[in-house]
Amino acid sequence: MSGQTSAAVAAAAKSVHQDEEELHGLLVPDATDLPLFPLSAVESNFVAYFAPDFTKPSHDHYIYRHPNGLCVVGLAPGHAALRDEGGVKGVDFNVGKSDRSAIKVTGKRKKNAQHFEANTMLCKVSTSVDTYVIRCCVKGSLLEVNEKLVKQPGLLNTAADREGFIAIIMPKPADWLKVKSKFLSREEYSNLRVESL
Amino acid sequence: MVAGSEAEEDLRAFREAVSLVPWHVAKDLISREVCLHCIIRLFGIREPAKGFTSLSPSMFSDIVAELPSTGEGLNGIELGENKDKNDDETNEERHPAPSICSVCFGILQICKVNDAEIPFEKNGVNFLANVIADAVKEEGHEFDSFCVEVSTPPAIPENDLSLLSYINSKYGSESWLQKKPLGNIISLKEALKALVTGPLETKLGVNCSQGTFRIWLTYKEASPLTSCDDKTPVAKRQKTDCNNKNTLVACTTYGLVAENEATEPCVDSGKITMTIPTDGFGNGIAYHESSCLSKSREPCSLSIECYRDAVYFGGRYLKYSRNVSQTCWMIDEERMGVTSVEEIISGCILPFCRGDKSKFHAAGREDIDVRMLGSGRPFLVEIQNARHVPSIMDIKGIEEKINESKSKLVRVKHLKLLGSEAWSLMREGEAEKQKQYAAVVWISRPLEDRDLCTLSSFKDLSIMQKTPIRVLHRRSPLEREKIIHWMKIERISGSSQYFVLHLCTQAGTYIKEFVHGDLGRTNPSIGSILGCRAEILQLDVTDVKMDLF
């Protein structure tokens, strides 16, 4: 009787062990199947567009568009501010009629979001050489600005394409379609800036 | 047919019931085309449990014919034996068929069922029970008990009230009414249920009780005088007795006029307001045949529907594919993924139960490209109007059928039949559950041994997570605190920059964002903790910690 019970327990334990082995096999990939360098989250989740010389020469912006329509706007590698001696020293969202970082957008319907034009100012970025106005590039609702830049303007020098993004804008689908063709693809942009970069 | 003695007993019971109604009132009401069933129920008299089912309507008229033309009431009056009770035809000749009742529109007289006119001399209740039983059998339901639900035109409770107020205003001064005011109306629904339940139990071979299998009898006015809402029985079930709320208002609008017969003493309105609505002038609202009742009234039409309350199947599902969504997911008419967990599981259960519709509920969900392994995720499948409720063996069979499908995309575990309580169980457990994941992570520098220690040293690490950009378009922009209960690195042999990250987190944590940081919007992240760039290649859920299924 007890022999049968312990046999059953052993069988159950064995089956649990087998399940775990099987699960482990599924979870851990073979190293040879993995790419040497994987695509980054930004590369795989967004389509990159570039607006070189936006309103002024060397004012290069990027627009990373997520398939859900949201656009992350930031400074492209060719932007003059990133190329000044000593890099970016300060970021100020207190431009135009309001402080862009003071408006809190809430709710699914994005209450309080301000509707901006493509050439509306987002912030000022200053280096030891000059101060540059950064603009929306796309017409739409401003959902979020990257407040971290106020205390950590250096993020623009180290990761302008990631943690150093400027703002998140939600354009209307129709507005996006109108403006999209004016932007360059990543390849077109690097060809344009090939000498200077 | 019914045994003679039973018929006699019913007849005696009926005479007794009728004897409680003052004869002159009964005669008055009969002349106003109120059927005997309605008279009895308006006086609050319950028909015997089985109803007067063995009595043909012609016997009613015999009894009426016996009513004396003078006297205080039926009490004490010698009721002669019905001479011709076994010979309906001769009765029929002597008594013309009664007309359609002006109160119940023929519903209790059972003179029309599904366009089939039933002659008054036939026993309508048995006929009705047969029609219902046939309709139920045609639906193919399997059941061991049933209950009957009735829905009637809104005019009927209005008719009840206006008839009551007529009686009160006309006979208010009489002693029988002053001794025992009317008001305990037995509703038509109740009366009809009482009539039809017994014969239906016999026909269906099961008992009537408060079960999950319902037979819906919906009566509609053939030519509605008031606008009749066109609610289906399913919709009706959700609102209970809405009609009653409107009766006060409806009474005054239902083609009624206040009776101004000077000879009639006015009812003291104070006495009757408890039960009878009065108009704003203190007069009882009168029941006036010429204004509200048309002689050529059509009987109500009946539709019969059967419905079983939803049955629930609970279990846990495993998803082995990164191209199968939880539920069917369409973007611009384009299907995402090859199939869905819902379609695979419900697709096996619904046909087996022969239900109308299925609904799939799960305790949370994973992205389409995330596998659900290990414990599986609790889910419920709700089957509406199941004709067949499977046995334990059947359920084992369904489970095997799902698990043995060739594609091996989805499996189920612990499938079982549940009551509706399963629904709240799942909602309760959902909020506080912990979830365990395994993620394949790449970092921008070689992995070091101290990284393993760093990550495993965190216990209940609190992180701040802004609504990820990938869902920000449809979710509120918020910063939420989430808890990472523990983390563990497992190296992948042959790779210095890839590893498997095992972690257990609070429900609602976005794992992909916790790994790559979502442009610094989730903080800390694996990247920020290890001081490098971190990317996630694949993610699997390995455990949904819930005491459910």
Side-chain angles (χ1 to χ4, degrees), chain B residues 300-325:
Chain B
C300 284
S301 68
L302 167 66
S303 61
I304 302 162
E305 280 171 77
C306 308
Y307 188 83
R308 185 193 299 281
D309 289 357
V311 292
Y312 294 87
F313 293 82
R316 284 177 177 251
Y317 75 79
L318 293 100
K319 177 166 87 82
Y320 292 98
S321 166
R322 297 191 190 281
N323 201 16
V324 171
S325 53

Side-chain angles (χ1 to χ4, degrees), chain B residues 311-315 341-360 379-390 394-402 412 414-417:
Chain B
V311 292
Y312 294 87
F313 293 82
V341 176
E342 173 181 15
E343 285 159 278
I344 291 174
I345 297 177
S346 299
C348 273
I349 297 177
L350 182 64
F352 197 89
C353 296
R354 290 182 283 129
D356 286 352
K357 203 180 156 195
S358 69
K359 278 188 187 165
F360 187 86
F379 70 90
L380 279 182
V381 172
E382 177 185 336
I383 302 289
Q384 294 172 0
N385 203 9
R387 303 325 189 256
H388 171 70
V389 178
D394 290 340
I395 291 169
K396 275 270 162 277
I398 296 173
E399 188 173 315
E400 276 163 25
K401 192 181 164 202
I402 296 168
V412 293
H414 315 309
L415 190 67
K416 55 173 164 278
L417 189 65

Side-chain angles (χ1 to χ4, degrees), chain B residues 447-491:
Chain B
L447 185 69
E448 294 166 20
D449 284 337
R450 63 188 172 98
D451 297 331
L452 277 69
C453 297
T454 308
L455 289 194
S456 59
S457 69
F458 288 111
K459 289 285 169 285
D460 294 330
L461 166 70
S462 157
I463 63 163
M464 292 306 287
Q465 197 155 49
K466 283 190 178 144
T467 306
I469 296 173
R470 68 185 158 102
V471 296
L472 188 58
H473 61 300
R474 57 179 166 86
R475 298 202 60 186
S476 182
L478 282 174
E479 192 163 26
R480 297 177 181 85
E481 185 188 5
K482 296 291 172 192
I483 307 293
I484 311 291
H485 297 294
W486 53 259
M487 292 181 274
K488 198 180 84 191
I489 285 179
E490 179 181 356
R491 284 184 180 271

Side-chain angles (χ1 to χ4, degrees), chain B residues 107-125:
Chain B
I107 292 175
L108 289 177
Q109 293 169 302
I110 314 182
C111 50
K112 186 178 177 184
V113 177
N114 287 354
D115 294 331
E117 305 275 350
I118 305 166
F120 275 105
E121 72 278 7
K122 284 272 159 56
N123 188 329
V125 175

Side-chain angles (χ1 to χ4, degrees), chain A residues 69-84:
Chain A
L70 265 48
C71 291
V72 177
V73 176
L75 303 193
H79 197 288
L82 304 181
R83 303 165 65 77
D84 279 350

Side-chain angles (χ1 to χ4, degrees), chain A residues 19 22-24 26-32 34-43 45-46 62 64 66 68-70 72 105-108 110 143-148 161-165 168 170, chain B residues 320 322 371 373-374 413 438 440 442 466-477 490-495 497-498 500 502 516-523 533-538 540-542:
Chain A
D19 284 356
E22 199 183 299
L23 175 61
H24 194 256
L26 284 170
L27 296 179
V28 183
D30 193 326
T32 55
L34 295 166
L36 197 52
F37 295 102
L39 277 183
S40 72
V42 171
E43 286 166 320
N45 297 339
F46 296 88
Y62 69 73
Y64 291 159
H66 193 274
N68 68 16
L70 265 48
V72 177
V105 180
T106 55
K108 281 184 185 178
K110 317 294 183 262
L143 299 191
E144 183 178 317
V145 298
N146 188 0
E147 285 175 80
K148 270 192 202 157
D161 62 336
R162 292 170 56 93
E163 286 81 1
F165 77 98
I168 300 172
M170 182 166 69
Chain B
Y320 292 98
R322 297 191 190 281
R371 294 181 298 187
L373 307 171
K413 289 209 272 200
V440 174
W442 174 91
K466 283 190 178 144
T467 306
I469 296 173
R470 68 185 158 102
V471 296
L472 188 58
H473 61 300
R474 57 179 166 86
R475 298 202 60 186
S476 182
E490 179 181 356
R491 284 184 180 271
I492 297 173
S493 60
S495 174
Q497 284 175 269
Y498 282 105
V500 177
H502 298 273
H516 63 63
D518 198 26
L519 307 183
R521 298 168 75 260
T522 289
N523 201 29
R533 194 154 69 83
E535 301 291 354
I536 180 164
L537 266 85
Q538 63 176 51
D540 296 309
V541 185
T542 55

